[in-house]
């Protein structure tokens, strides 16, 4: 796309910020400021991407201004306060999922922002290339009307390792304190994809379990949902599954009125046409979903067009996620 006259800032300089910053470069939007409470991390990213201004206090960054857009990729505990700062300063927001920790908090935040600025959630999973292939095929009518969805994710990231913490704990230390883990942190993506494919869904039943030791949050879940016209959707996950890769992989089956699509990790095919399967380089194309959603945000602001993952859409995903815990008997405090 042509270079935008707008300028952007980033809050959060952790691991995921690398992909966010690459996406802003691809969108042609200058990144003029970066902020993280870990100033060393912010300094390192600033040097890597040529960002002139570095902060460890978002309030000071917004007070200094000079940008139109902000990408909030900080931890979830910072989402509410930083989004409110942006709204108060007239800066349009793209906010890393999950919006906040509970539906009640999200509803209050959405009400506060109102129409002050454009507000989009960085829920990029539905834009990953293998999922986009599935969505494109459905949109092209290759399997008729969607009637049934079965999704699963498997990984060994919370399996014990000799002499080291589990891979996901080493990578995301905050999981040690998370009372909600798999559904809140990971399967919220899968629930969002199910919504993108099937439309509105509601949870019928859910069961959660902990196979890993020493962590307060669940690592295993089975969820039963229903949609319009009798549609049934299931989402099943385990990230303490020996033998699987440490970073989870997904399998999706979508049954339609005239055909069935299967996405098995990195292969997508129509049942009965396996010889025509498409193989997606998930590692090589990982950046794409960040590029796609960042470009969509910029274009939506420029042209005042709707966001696919607008705050109101994401509220529906949050409600679906939270209803999983309700159905499993896990209390969610606001």
């Amino acid at each position: 796309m042509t270079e935008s006259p707008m300028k952007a800032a980033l809050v959060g300089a952790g691991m995921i910020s690398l992909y966010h910053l690459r996406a802003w470069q691809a969108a042609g939007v200058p990144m003029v400021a970066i902020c993280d409470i870990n100033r060393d991390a912010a300094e390192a990213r600033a040097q890597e991407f040529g960002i002139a201004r570095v902060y460890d206090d978002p309030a000071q960054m917004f007070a200094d201004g000079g940008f139109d857009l902000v990408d909030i990729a900080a931890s979830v505990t910072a989402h509410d306060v930083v989004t409110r700062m942006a709204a108060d300063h007239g800066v349009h927001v793209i906010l890393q999922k999950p919006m906040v920790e509970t539906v009640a908090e999200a509803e209050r935040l959405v009400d506060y922002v109102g129409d002050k600025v454009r507000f989009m959630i960085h829920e990029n999973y539905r834009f990953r290339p293998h999922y986009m292939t599935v969505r494109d095929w459905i949109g092209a009518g290759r399997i008729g009307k969607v009637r049934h969805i079965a999704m699963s994710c498997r990984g060994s990231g919370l399996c014990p390792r000799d002499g080291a913490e589990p891979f996901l704990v080493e990578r995301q230390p905050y999981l040690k304190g998370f009372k909600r883990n798999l559904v809140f942190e990971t399967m919220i993506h899968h629930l969002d994809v199910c919504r993108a494919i099937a439309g509105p869904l509601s949870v019928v039943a859910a069961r959660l379990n902990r196979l890993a030791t020493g962590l307060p949050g669940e690592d295993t879940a089975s969820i039963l949902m229903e949609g319009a016209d009798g549609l049934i959707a299931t989402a099943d996950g385990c990230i303490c599954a020996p033998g699987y890769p440490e970073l989870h992989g997904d399998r999706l089956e979508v049954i339609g009125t005239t055909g069935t699509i299967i996405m098995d990790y990195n292969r997508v095919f129509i049942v009965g046409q396996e010889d025509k399967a498409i193989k997606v380089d998930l590692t090589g194309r990982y950046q794409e979903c960040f590029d796609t959603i960042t470009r969509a945000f910029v274009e939506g602001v420029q042209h005042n067009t709707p966001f696919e993952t607008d705050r109101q859409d994401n509220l529906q995903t949050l409600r679906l996620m939270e209803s999983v815990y309700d159905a499993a008997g896990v209390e969610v405090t606001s």
Side-chain angles (χ1 to χ4, degrees):
M1 62 186 293
T2 58
E3 185 166 324
S4 165
M6 297 184 293
K7 298 177 181 179
L10 177 68
V11 178
M15 175 197 67
I16 205 70
S17 66
L18 173 65
Y19 303 99
H20 285 249
L21 287 166
R22 287 174 177 170
W24 285 103
Q25 283 186 331
V29 178
M31 182 63 60
V32 299
I34 186 169
C35 178
D36 196 291
I37 56 173
N38 180 347
R39 192 178 182 93
D40 289 342
E43 293 277 8
R45 287 290 191 230
Q47 184 173 4
E48 184 178 3
F49 285 89
I51 303 169
R53 293 158 47 193
V54 179
Y55 298 86
D56 53 24
D57 178 6
Q60 187 61 57
M61 185 183 78
F62 282 108
D64 289 348
F67 49 90
D68 315 278
L69 314 170
V70 65
D71 184 350
I72 302 172
S75 62
V76 67
T77 54
H79 287 187
D80 184 275
V81 64
V82 179
T83 300
R84 288 171 185 254
M85 286 182 194
D88 291 343
H89 287 83
V91 176
H92 304 295
V93 176
I94 182 168
L95 175 63
Q96 181 71 22
K97 75 83 200 169
M99 190 189 310
V100 284
E101 294 193 56
T102 69
V103 169
E105 289 177 279
E107 290 172 340
R108 290 193 292 267
L109 179 58
V110 168
D111 286 345
Y112 183 86
V113 173
D115 294 324
K116 295 175 183 176
V117 295
R118 299 297 305 280
F119 183 12
M120 177 179 176
I121 305 303
H122 199 294
E123 174 50 85
N124 64 40
Y125 217 75
R126 63 169 80 179
F127 301 109
R128 296 193 70 189
H130 49 331
Y131 280 110
M132 284 298 294
T133 300
V134 173
R135 295 177 65 196
D136 289 345
W137 287 8
I138 293 170
R142 295 189 63 179
I143 62 168
K145 182 180 179 181
V146 174
R147 301 295 300 277
H148 183 82
I149 297 172
M151 177 178 283
S152 66
C153 70
R154 295 287 183 272
S156 62
L158 288 184
C159 290
R161 297 191 297 176
D162 291 339
E165 290 186 306
F167 168 77
L168 286 179
V169 174
E170 184 176 78
R171 184 173 181 256
Q172 299 160 267
Y174 58 82
L175 294 179
K176 293 178 182 179
F178 261 38
K179 293 182 180 179
R180 295 181 293 158
N181 183 357
L182 176 62
V183 178
F184 177 83
E185 178 69 10
T186 300
M187 288 188 71
I188 189 171
H189 290 304
H190 301 80
L191 296 175
D192 187 72
V193 169
C194 286
R195 285 189 56 248
I197 293 172
L201 293 168
S202 58
V203 174
V204 175
R207 294 293 182 271
L208 307 178
N209 199 4
R210 291 192 297 271
L211 303 185
T213 58
L215 296 174
E218 82 285 348
D219 52 55
T220 305
S222 288
I223 305 162
L224 174 64
M225 297 169 283
E226 62 182 1
D229 301 323
L231 181 141
I232 296 172
T234 62
D236 182 84
C238 181
I239 50 175
C240 191
Y244 281 91
E246 290 178 320
L247 285 175
H248 74 269
D250 303 336
R251 187 181 192 279
L252 171 65
E253 185 167 1
V254 184
I255 299 172
T257 52
T258 61
T260 299
I261 296 173
I262 290 180
M263 185 198 83
D264 189 7
Y265 186 58
N266 65 338
R267 293 175 67 245
V268 186
F269 56 89
I270 302 287
V271 173
Q273 301 176 30
E274 287 81 358
D275 59 323
K276 298 178 181 177
I278 289 178
K279 190 172 183 179
V280 178
D281 179 3
L282 298 184
T283 301
R285 297 180 64 184
Y286 182 65
Q287 180 66 42
E288 281 185 26
C289 62
F290 293 87
D291 294 350
T292 299
I293 200 165
T294 302
R295 184 170 61 250
F297 174 62
V298 172
E299 292 176 350
V301 172
Q302 285 177 324
H303 305 297
N304 197 32
T305 51
F307 301 134
E308 183 174 336
T309 56
D310 179 76
R311 58 213 168 152
Q312 295 292 346
D313 178 81
N314 192 253
L315 269 176
Q316 301 306 313
T317 296
L318 285 174
R319 288 176 180 133
L320 191 62
M321 177 272 294
E322 197 162 283
S323 64
V324 171
Y325 290 100
D326 291 338
V330 176
E331 184 179 359
V332 177
T333 58
S334 58

